């Protein structure tokens, strides 16, 4: 079996390919690692494969902040340069002068 390599990295800002939200990655599972109930709740016609990386995001949309679990196939890099406002980000990340998110020292994911 070929080892999977994650396309995105911790601290990277991404957006969902189909839904209007974006966020910063704070953890990566090499393959699906959520509950079967969660997986089955996704409509079959848009249900992602389990054999790909899944990302934990501090996510936000126009109305709210939340934690999202998203398959690699449904993410794209966010090139907007707009800051994120999720309230958990400052606990985990420092914003660099370049506008990127760097995991704080001592924070384990």
């Amino acid at each position: 079996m070929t080892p999977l390599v994650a396309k995105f990295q911790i601290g990277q800002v991404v957006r969902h390919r189909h839904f209007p939200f974006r966020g910063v990655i704070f953890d990566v599972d090499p393959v699906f690692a959520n509950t079967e109930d969660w997986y089955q709740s996704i409509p079959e016609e848009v249900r992602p494969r389990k054999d790909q990386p899944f990302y934990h995001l501090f996510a936000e949309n126009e109305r709210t902040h939340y934690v999202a679990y998203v398959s690699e196939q449904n993410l794209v890099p966010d090139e907007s340069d707009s800051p994120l406002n999720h309230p958990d980000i400052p606990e985990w990340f420092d914003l660099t002068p370049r506008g990127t998110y760097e995991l704080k020292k001592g924070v384990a994911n």
Side-chain angles (χ1 to χ4, degrees):
M1 184 165 128
T2 305
L4 298 174
V5 177
K7 180 179 178 180
F8 304 109
Q9 61 188 351
I10 291 174
Q12 187 171 357
V13 179
V14 292
R15 64 181 174 82
H16 197 281
R17 183 179 300 279
H18 304 291
F19 299 110
F21 70 86
R22 58 195 286 265
V24 62
I25 297 168
F26 69 90
D27 199 7
V28 182
D29 294 333
V31 294
F32 179 79
N34 207 332
T35 66
E36 190 60 26
D37 285 343
W38 182 91
Y39 187 74
Q40 293 300 325
S41 72
I42 301 168
E44 191 172 350
E45 63 274 7
V46 295
R47 193 176 298 152
R49 298 180 335 273
K50 289 183 178 181
D51 64 342
Q52 64 181 312
F54 276 72
Y55 298 84
H56 300 260
L57 311 176
F58 291 130
E60 59 188 56
N61 60 30
E62 291 181 356
R63 296 184 320 247
T64 190
H65 303 100
Y66 51 98
V67 172
Y69 191 65
V70 185
S71 64
E72 186 169 273
Q73 75 187 60
N74 285 322
L75 291 175
V76 294
D78 182 85
E79 306 293 341
S80 70
D81 292 329
S82 296
L84 292 164
N85 298 307
H86 194 290
D88 291 334
I89 291 174
E91 293 177 39
W92 285 64
F93 294 97
D94 290 319
L95 186 60
T96 70
R98 297 183 322 269
T100 59
Y101 293 91
E102 185 175 276
L103 196 61
K104 288 185 174 189
K105 291 183 181 4
V107 173
N109 54 347

